[in-house]
Amino acid sequence: MRRWILRKSLASVGLLSQKPRHLSAFGNDVERVSVRSGSSGTITIDLHNIAKASSPDPLLVYLPPYSTASSDKPVRLPNFIQRRPTAVINYRWVGFSPFGAEDLSASGSVGQSGEQERSHLSWPAPIHDTARAYDWIVENLGPSTYTRRDIYVFGSYLGASLATSLALTETHPHVRMGVRGYICCNGIYNWTTFLPDHPINKMPRLRSMHILEEILARPDDPNFQQLRQHAEALFGRPDNLFDPFASPCLFFHTPGLLVPPSFDASALPPPAPLLTVGDEFVSLDGAPGLSMSNTLPRKSPLGFPPRAATLKIPETLLLHSTPPPLPPSLYRRRQRRKKDYPGNNFKAQAEDLARVMRRSIDKIELKERSKWDDDIEAWKDEAARRVQIYDTGPNSGDFELGTKGEELAAAWLEDHISGRKRS
């Protein structure tokens, strides 16, 4: 997997054991560090409350809901981490900004222009930036003695995809400083669900299906729609959606799709007209054919984490908002349908990720544990305990956690930090 290849190559770009090249003080216990990222310029890390924390204190790593690399001042932290030592990774990712026009001079050390500069700031730049920043954090903010330091990761929206891939590939329980758990809110964990061929976008073929039912199957959340509409701008090419570091669900299963030629086209060619000659299908040009020749590959489970790896599924809190409520008449119509079609939204994304993570715990981790643990029955609820999912209520549309989300995140974080102190 590319993540481990990246770690091995970091020494060649001069990142490991490298002290910050530039340090800016913003006051209020915030400092900004600039770190060289190979030939693509520099990334910045904002350090909050680091100076007043002892080195063994747990560290928060925050990935904002969209790229903040072009901002000349630190991003505001969510309330539940404002008093904790926190490192904010200002990853670079052009293609989406809730404020409209984007500044292509983000982390302006790149002296190129136009498409060349944009290529440095599009996918996979954000995952490279996240990996390099994380390595700098571990190298420079580790405990000064032989104690351990726990890292908890938080990300929302675009940052949730990055936070999930970081947590899934950096949770090594044995290391002195590493990820122990993470919190995500309103993330896209499988970007391939936006492609036309994905089953979630296939409307049921019922005679009673009409325009109203099609509308009901679509996501209502405006933030979700924004991210969907910007998928092409964010990723550039459809094959980038299949990268498991962009779509973390694909660590656990194959996509069950073919890479299409564009974001709005099917990967399957239109079927050739077939005639029945005896017991055989024959195309109109006279060549034998099969009626089911143009089909998508089957989605199959993958073994993640790899059995030989030291990785472990992290302690996880997945938060998602609910879309605005339907008008009463449309709600009653949805209730009358025999089968519910949930569509694609933040809730569906979180539930899919929780399902594959829990399956990994049950089918891989606990299955292996059952070979030597006689008390394996005590672990029957481990998957649900470790991977938790909660609804935070209606989305306010401002890319914030909201009151309920802040409360859930604060309680989960305090519970896990205090629990590790007691153990």
Side-chain angles (χ1 to χ4, degrees):
M1 295 182 182
R2 188 190 321 136
R3 179 65 188 94
W4 292 289
I5 296 174
L6 280 173
R7 285 189 62 88
K8 293 177 182 177
S9 64
L10 288 176
S12 64
V13 297
L15 179 62
L16 295 182
S17 302
Q18 176 182 322
K19 297 302 180 183
R21 296 187 60 180
H22 180 67
L23 182 65
S24 302
F26 288 92
N28 297 326
D29 299 307
V30 183
E31 294 177 321
R32 171 164 289 183
V33 178
S34 296
V35 179
R36 185 74 183 175
S37 182
S39 61
S40 66
T42 60
I43 55 176
T44 59
I45 307 170
D46 293 333
L47 306 177
H48 297 251
N49 308 315
I50 299 296
K52 63 182 181 182
S54 63
S55 59
D57 288 344
L59 176 70
L60 273 294
V61 172
Y62 175 41
L63 291 140
Y66 44 82
S67 177
T68 53
S70 61
S71 176
D72 58 359
K73 59 181 180 180
V75 66
R76 180 184 177 276
L77 296 181
N79 293 333
F80 79 100
I81 60 175
Q82 284 186 359
R83 296 184 179 182
R84 298 188 181 275
T86 303
V88 180
I89 299 177
N90 297 302
Y91 58 89
R92 299 167 295 175
W93 197 352
V94 297
F96 174 75
S97 171
F99 307 110
E102 293 177 299
D103 182 5
L104 286 183
S105 64
S107 69
S109 60
V110 183
Q112 301 172 343
S113 60
E115 291 301 318
Q116 287 180 310
E117 182 171 2
R118 193 175 182 88
S119 67
H120 283 299
L121 308 178
S122 59
W123 189 268
I127 194 62
H128 291 171
D129 287 355
T130 301
R132 282 154 172 74
Y134 179 81
D135 282 308
W136 185 93
I137 290 168
V138 172
E139 180 72 18
N140 292 273
L141 301 180
S144 56
T145 62
Y146 291 103
T147 57
R148 293 164 62 88
R149 187 170 201 183
D150 300 333
I151 294 177
Y152 292 90
V153 183
F154 170 63
S156 59
Y157 298 91
L158 292 181
S161 300
L162 301 174
T164 300
S165 59
L166 177 65
L168 288 175
T169 56
E170 290 294 348
T171 302
H172 299 273
H174 68 285
V175 298
R176 290 176 54 220
M177 183 175 183
V179 176
R180 315 299 182 209
Y182 83 107
I183 304 170
C184 277
C185 180
N186 283 354
I188 306 297
Y189 309 112
N190 188 353
W191 287 87
T192 68
T193 59
F194 293 153
L195 296 174
D197 287 338
H198 196 279
I200 204 169
N201 298 315
K202 301 296 184 182
M203 299 299 299
R205 295 181 180 180
L206 300 175
R207 290 184 179 180
S208 61
M209 180 61 62
H210 50 67
I211 295 177
L212 177 59
E213 288 178 315
E214 181 178 349
I215 293 174
L216 292 179
R218 294 175 180 172
D220 305 300
D221 192 301
N223 290 152
F224 189 88
Q225 289 283 35
Q226 277 187 293
L227 296 181
R228 179 173 190 155
Q229 292 164 1
H230 286 80
E232 182 172 0
L234 288 163
F235 290 95
R237 307 193 315 266
D239 61 302
N240 283 329
L241 303 182
F242 292 73
D243 186 342
F245 287 92
S247 300
C249 281
L250 300 186
F251 281 120
F252 300 92
H253 62 75
T254 60
L257 298 170
L258 299 173
V259 178
S262 66
F263 285 84
D264 55 2
S266 172
L268 299 176
L274 299 176
L275 296 176
T276 303
V277 180
D279 295 330
E280 186 180 35
F281 290 104
V282 178
S283 64
L284 290 182
D285 61 5
L290 293 175
S291 61
M292 298 298 290
S293 58
N294 294 328
T295 59
L296 296 172
R298 178 177 297 180
K299 184 173 74 173
S300 303
L302 298 173
F304 185 88
R307 294 183 186 276
T310 59
L311 286 170
K312 187 176 183 179
I313 299 296
E315 301 280 340
T316 302
L317 176 64
L318 299 175
L319 303 174
H320 65 83
S321 61
T322 52
L326 292 170
S329 59
L330 300 187
Y331 179 75
R332 287 193 297 269
R333 184 177 183 87
R334 175 173 286 185
Q335 283 188 317
R336 287 198 299 267
R337 290 187 298 186
K338 294 181 180 180
K339 185 176 181 180
D340 185 33
Y341 301 98
N344 197 6
N345 47 51
F346 288 126
K347 178 182 179 181
Q349 292 280 330
E351 288 178 340
D352 283 350
L353 179 62
R355 176 179 54 79
V356 294
M357 291 177 71
R358 289 169 176 172
R359 182 184 185 278
S360 174
I361 294 172
D362 285 332
K363 301 296 184 181
I364 297 179
E365 181 180 328
L366 296 185
K367 185 177 180 181
E368 192 67 24
R369 187 183 186 94
S370 67
K371 296 178 181 179
W372 54 266
D373 191 345
D374 294 333
D375 193 24
I376 192 63
E377 185 65 21
W379 294 80
K380 65 179 181 179
D381 299 324
E382 174 65 8
R385 184 205 64 79
R386 197 185 308 173
V387 181
Q388 300 178 25
I389 179 171
Y390 287 96
D391 190 323
T392 62
N395 192 347
S396 61
D398 56 5
F399 293 91
E400 300 287 341
L401 264 178
T403 302
K404 185 176 179 181
E406 290 272 4
E407 292 173 351
L408 288 167
W412 183 95
L413 186 61
E414 178 61 33
D415 180 63
H416 283 74
I417 289 178
S418 60
R420 290 189 65 87
K421 287 180 179 179
R422 290 193 300 267
S423 61

